[in-house]
Amino acid sequence: MFASWTSLERSAFLTLLLFLKVTSSTHGRTEILIGAVFSKETGANGTEEEALKLAIEYINDDNEKYAGIELKALVKYSDPMDDFENIEQVNSLLSSNISILIGPMETSAVIATHPLCSRASVPQIAPLTSLEIISEGDSGLNYLLRMSPTEKLKAKAIAEIIKRYKWETMAVLGYQNKEAPEGHSSFRLIANGNEWNMVKETLISPDPAGKQGNLRMASMAIDYLKDSQSTRLAVMFFPAWTVEKFMKRVNKTLQTEMGNWTWIFSNFGNRKEDLLGSDSGDIPDYMQGLLGIRPTVGKGARFEKFKNVWQQLIPGKEVSVSVGRVYDSVLVAAEGIKRALRNGVALPSNQTYRGFCSSSDKQEENTSGEELAKYLNEVEVEGVMGKIHANDPDYAGSAYFDVLNLRSTGEYKVGEWNTTGLHMFENEKPIWPSNSSDIPLDIPNILKGKTLRIATILAPPFVMLKNGAESSSNETKDFEGLSIDILEEISKRLEFNYEIYQAPDGKFGVKNRLTREWNGIVKEIRDKKADMSIAPMTISSDRQTVLDFTQPYMTFGLAFMIRVQEVNGNYFRFLLPFSKYLWVAICVLVMVMGFSVWFCNLFSPLGYYGRCTQAQSTKQLKPEVLKQVDTLSLNNSIWSSWKAYVRRSAEHPRSWSGKLTVSVFWFAVMIINATYTANLAAYLTVSRMQTPIETILDLSRQTRIEYGTLKDSQLQTFFQKTDVPSYLVMGQFMEQRKLWMPSYEAAINRTLEGDFAFISDRPILNYVARQDKHCGKFKVTGGFGNTYGYGFAFELTSPYTPLFNMELFRLQNEFVISSLTHKWTKERVNCELVDNFEEQQQLGSTVQKMSVQNMLGVFILLAISVLVGFLIMIMEWIYASAKDARKRIQGRKTCCQACGTRLLQALRDMCCPKQKTTLDNKKTDD
């Protein structure tokens, strides 16, 4: 019905409805007048006013929760940028004896009008104000309640976006109005705390023409951005209405360079019209790729119900932030009024407002307004936008922001922020001004077209020579490895070339304690012979004083590699997983189970043998039954048990007692065999990888097996300068015996000779141990010390470091580095023995012989099954004897007599197998 009405008709209907409700209010309902000031831009009957009326209608209809309250609205309109007009309208509302004022919607107007409300002791609710204002009346009460999060919170959200993309260099611009400078200042504090490089921090003066102006004052800042060679990232604290105007001027200045810039805005307004001036779906070219935030709509518990009513009232019109804030403002007002009335506050106040033009210097005291303000500040209620804490709009339950990305077809939500952190959607990545989803650089690409000279040393699998290349080769094409592949990926993205050469002394680089001079790669970079290094250099505090390092592209721990022991030949190693006592117990078990099966077969009336010897007459037995009489003789029973143990087809007992016993035996055999198989695999693998030294402490407590590390490496410095006594002693031991290895190749050869442990970075040792020629010869173990990282090294304060940092972040985010790591550490070097050993270690497997005690539960289970089987056999015997007694076979009158006769017959047949007789034969002989 509402869909066919015009906005004027809808407004008239709601106004009439409110009027009828007020005039027909029952005795005892208190009429409370709420004033509101809305923008002339939306006009009368705008969406904010519709939200106000809906909220009042909801409150007045709820006779249970808001019994005795009748709200009535008095709405005024003003130019949000005209402070005097707003003051005039608020003065008019206060003169009408309103109890609460909602609005104005513009922060500057709120600042201008709030002194009036404070003077009149009338609480004021600001739906959209984000400025953190503390304005207290003479009583110390806060008469202003904000419904929107502060600019400080917006600054935190923007900072989280910056952190998410690892940007560190930026220009931070702000618009000098009432709100933006607060966000600008808060962000700068966060940036300083994170040690970000803000190459430009400025506030742009407001345009004299206000919203009708074209931001002429922004020209200087834009010119600076154009000429900047320090950054390509701009963080903007501007009101929403300035975004289009600013970007239009930027487009005229930067032109073809627009795609190289990234723009992050703190305010995309409360609705799409705030950005473009209309709800058109088209985004201008110069605004495509922008990223910004807007308060989230729909997080409140009341949202779905409100949305359904709203769509019926205004079909096709989405719920905007301003609509939700106005609705929630009425809820807060109603909740405060309810509390005040319950506590005896007289509302509405009968105080006379003298107005700002009054000749009286002192306004009459409004105690009702003071009390109402106190209760309003205590309100906590579920709203449309979230859970509302009237005295804390930054509360986690109501402070949500959408991260929006502008594209040609409109706005796209690509993430969400709240006080718990930022969540960027994996399936909806931003499209930047470059028209790509690749994370843009925050600085200009000054490497494009350049050729870098790169120093390195051979360190598998990071830097190696290809097969056939000479060991002293300095040809770039002769190198391969993980670091080479990472460098190649970065060079493609940053469009530079490179030349690789080996450091003349083949060392990473340490400082000489006497001359204080550096050697190795460090010296090459410091002497400007190399622009950078891609060798796996550990990032250390000493090196960071003379070099710039990128963020770590790999973290690792320290370990040592040692030659495994030669395993002595043993033709009976397959017996080692079980102790000799367990093997004896298994043999006895097979014999006992064979005997048990035979016993059940012999005495049970259902067994192969028992059913023949205890039959009434041989004439009643089928020929095939007689043929099966010796199926489970003593020999056959023992043999059947052995066949069951080795998983071969075995004869099945016929009696239930025998079946139970055999079933449990089969289950026990399954457990024993499975345990043997698993333990044998672990024993053969782990025993093959046995070494006399298992931990770094084992290594430090002996001197028979020598140990060393690479000369002039970070590890050498670590052992010489450490504060840990045991490691310091190890360093002195290596120094005394001259165990510093000149190269990785020399260290590997020394380790192969035996009685030597090479201490180094775990990734390098793992690669060496997995190579085909070394597979099964080395064991890498004994992780110790802290976790370290590899980084690419540059000259101190190099402009190239931030570029490499950004690309390394991209490669990690796209899992390129992890894919390359797997390629060089797993695919290229496949050692099954090492894989099995690592798997055993992860599972916590150790070499341990299984004893009788380990398998005692299995034997107990078997013993119980044998006892239960015997009980079942006795029950079978009693049942058969009872049947004999009922049929009076051989004159037996009682069950006991029949049972005794059967027992005698079974014993006679067992002792004299050659004189087998049935019960009928015995009767004939007598």
Side-chain angles (χ1 to χ4, degrees), residues 655-667:
S655 63
W656 284 106
S657 54
K659 288 179 179 179
L660 174 65
T661 304
V662 168
S663 296
V664 178
F665 176 64
W666 288 344
F667 177 71

Side-chain angles (χ1 to χ4, degrees), residues 852-867:
V852 175
Q853 186 176 4
N854 298 128
M855 303 293 290
L856 189 59
V858 176
F859 289 99
I860 292 174
L861 184 63
L862 285 169
I864 293 174
S865 70
V866 170
L867 293 175

Side-chain angles (χ1 to χ4, degrees), residues 38-281:
F38 296 132
S39 172
K40 281 183 177 179
E41 293 179 354
T42 59
N45 312 316
T47 54
E48 287 83 3
E49 185 175 351
E50 299 285 5
L52 178 77
K53 294 176 180 178
L54 276 179
I56 290 178
E57 180 184 358
Y58 164 75
I59 298 298
N60 292 340
D61 282 347
D62 193 342
N63 293 321
E64 180 178 348
K65 189 173 182 180
Y66 299 103
I69 299 175
E70 190 78 31
L71 299 184
K72 183 179 179 181
L74 185 58
V75 181
K76 299 288 185 178
Y77 309 95
S78 65
D79 181 352
M81 306 304 293
D82 188 336
D83 291 347
F84 183 80
E85 185 178 1
N86 281 281
I87 291 173
E88 188 178 24
Q89 297 295 357
V90 170
N91 186 69
S92 173
L93 289 171
L94 292 173
S95 300
S96 300
N97 201 24
I98 61 173
S99 296
I100 294 175
L101 174 65
I102 296 177
M105 306 301 280
E106 185 69 30
T107 298
S108 60
V110 173
I111 295 174
T113 58
H114 183 62
L116 301 179
C117 295
S118 182
R119 182 170 185 255
S121 299
V122 173
Q124 182 179 13
I125 301 177
L128 299 180
T129 296
S130 59
L131 185 63
E132 191 171 16
I133 304 173
I134 301 176
S135 178
E136 298 179 349
D138 296 336
S139 62
L141 289 173
N142 184 11
Y143 286 98
L144 179 64
L145 283 76
R146 289 181 295 103
M147 302 300 292
S148 296
T150 62
E151 289 293 317
K152 289 183 178 180
L153 214 59
K154 291 182 181 180
K156 289 182 181 179
I158 296 297
E160 288 293 327
I161 296 174
I162 302 299
K163 289 180 183 178
R164 169 68 174 78
Y165 293 113
K166 306 290 185 181
W167 291 321
E168 295 182 348
T169 305
M170 66 208 74
V172 185
L173 307 182
Y175 188 79
Q176 203 165 14
N177 63 350
K178 299 297 184 181
E179 295 173 301
E182 185 175 302
H184 182 268
S185 176
S186 298
F187 180 84
R188 287 166 55 206
L189 289 174
I190 297 173
N192 287 326
N194 287 282
E195 298 183 351
W196 293 339
N197 179 23
M198 292 178 287
V199 298
K200 182 72 172 177
E201 309 169 49
T202 187
L203 290 172
I204 297 173
S205 300
D207 196 297
K211 287 189 177 182
Q212 284 69 42
N214 57 5
L215 296 183
R216 289 178 299 161
M217 308 304 291
S219 298
M220 291 182 61
I222 297 172
D223 290 338
Y224 173 84
L225 295 179
K226 178 182 178 182
D227 299 332
S228 173
Q229 294 299 318
S230 303
T231 187
R232 285 293 180 267
L233 170 64
V235 180
M236 314 296 294
F237 287 88
F238 277 43
W241 64 267
T242 65
V243 175
E244 183 183 16
K245 298 176 184 293
F246 180 81
M247 293 308 299
K248 186 179 291 186
R249 294 188 68 89
V250 168
N251 185 50
K252 291 180 180 179
T253 303
L254 297 182
Q255 297 179 356
T256 58
E257 290 292 316
M258 281 288 291
N260 297 328
W261 279 84
T262 303
W263 308 88
I264 311 294
F265 283 86
S266 68
N267 189 354
F268 268 1
N270 298 303
R271 52 187 179 176
K272 190 173 182 180
E273 298 92 300
D274 294 341
L275 280 179
L276 302 175
S278 68
D279 57 0
S280 170

Side-chain angles (χ1 to χ4, degrees), residues 281 283 288-289 405-412 414 428-431:
I283 303 292
Q288 293 175 19
N405 180 221
L406 302 187
R407 305 176 192 173
S408 59
T409 54
E411 301 174 344
Y412 288 80
V414 296
E428 190 68 71
K429 295 182 179 181
I431 303 298

Side-chain angles (χ1 to χ4, degrees), residues 570 572-573 575-583 675 679 683 846-855:
N570 186 347
F572 297 97
R573 290 179 67 198
L575 297 175
L576 295 178
F578 286 175
S579 68
K580 60 182 179 181
Y581 300 106
L582 182 55
W583 283 119
T675 304
N679 216 42
Y683 191 92
T846 57
V847 179
Q848 178 183 2
K849 288 187 177 182
M850 299 296 291
S851 63
V852 175
Q853 186 176 4
N854 298 128
M855 303 293 290

Side-chain angles (χ1 to χ4, degrees), residues 184-470:
H184 182 268
S185 176
S186 298
F187 180 84
R188 287 166 55 206
L189 289 174
I190 297 173
N192 287 326
N194 287 282
E195 298 183 351
W196 293 339
N197 179 23
M198 292 178 287
V199 298
K200 182 72 172 177
E201 309 169 49
T202 187
L203 290 172
I204 297 173
S205 300
D207 196 297
K211 287 189 177 182
Q212 284 69 42
N214 57 5
L215 296 183
R216 289 178 299 161
M217 308 304 291
S219 298
M220 291 182 61
I222 297 172
D223 290 338
Y224 173 84
L225 295 179
K226 178 182 178 182
D227 299 332
S228 173
Q229 294 299 318
S230 303
T231 187
R232 285 293 180 267
L233 170 64
V235 180
M236 314 296 294
F237 287 88
F238 277 43
W241 64 267
T242 65
V243 175
E244 183 183 16
K245 298 176 184 293
F246 180 81
M247 293 308 299
K248 186 179 291 186
R249 294 188 68 89
V250 168
N251 185 50
K252 291 180 180 179
T253 303
L254 297 182
Q255 297 179 356
T256 58
E257 290 292 316
M258 281 288 291
N260 297 328
W261 279 84
T262 303
W263 308 88
I264 311 294
F265 283 86
S266 68
N267 189 354
F268 268 1
N270 298 303
R271 52 187 179 176
K272 190 173 182 180
E273 298 92 300
D274 294 341
L275 280 179
L276 302 175
S278 68
D279 57 0
S280 170
D282 298 329
I283 303 292
D285 293 343
Y286 51 84
M287 294 182 67
Q288 293 175 19
L290 302 188
L291 203 67
I293 60 174
R294 175 184 295 161
T296 303
V297 177
K299 291 295 183 180
R302 298 175 183 265
F303 176 73
E304 290 300 327
K305 185 176 180 180
F306 172 75
K307 180 182 177 182
N308 293 334
V309 176
W310 184 259
Q311 288 177 343
Q312 293 178 15
L313 180 63
I314 311 179
K317 194 72 172 179
E318 293 184 356
V319 179
S320 66
V321 175
S322 56
V323 166
R325 297 290 189 209
V326 169
Y327 192 91
D328 287 349
S329 298
V330 177
L331 294 180
V332 171
E335 192 68 25
I337 291 170
K338 181 183 73 173
R339 296 186 183 194
L341 291 175
R342 285 182 178 178
N343 287 275
V345 178
L347 292 176
S349 171
N350 55 6
Q351 166 249 5
T352 302
Y353 176 67
R354 298 184 182 278
F356 67 91
C357 292
S358 172
S359 59
S360 175
D361 293 334
K362 186 172 178 61
Q363 171 69 34
E364 289 184 27
E365 184 179 2
N366 180 7
T367 55
S368 298
E370 292 178 4
E371 291 295 317
L372 179 57
K374 182 181 72 172
Y375 290 113
L376 280 171
N377 278 278
E378 297 174 355
V379 169
E380 294 182 11
V381 63
E382 291 288 349
V384 170
M385 299 295 289
K387 187 171 184 179
I388 306 166
H389 283 229
N391 63 344
D392 182 17
D394 289 351
Y395 176 73
S398 58
Y400 291 88
F401 290 105
D402 289 340
V403 182
L404 301 176
N405 180 221
L406 302 187
R407 305 176 192 173
S408 59
T409 54
E411 301 174 344
Y412 288 80
K413 183 176 178 179
V414 296
E416 191 175 85
W417 183 92
N418 59 28
T419 51
T420 61
L422 175 70
H423 173 62
M424 298 299 289
F425 303 151
E426 291 297 328
N427 59 344
E428 190 68 71
K429 295 182 179 181
I431 303 298
W432 306 99
S434 61
N435 201 30
S436 170
S437 61
D438 293 338
I439 301 171
L441 297 172
D442 57 344
I443 58 176
N445 182 13
I446 58 177
L447 278 171
K448 187 174 182 179
K450 290 189 177 182
T451 299
L452 298 183
R453 187 161 168 78
I454 300 173
T456 188
I457 68 169
L458 299 181
F462 298 91
V463 182
M464 301 177 291
L465 288 172
K466 295 179 181 178
N467 292 332
E470 297 181 3

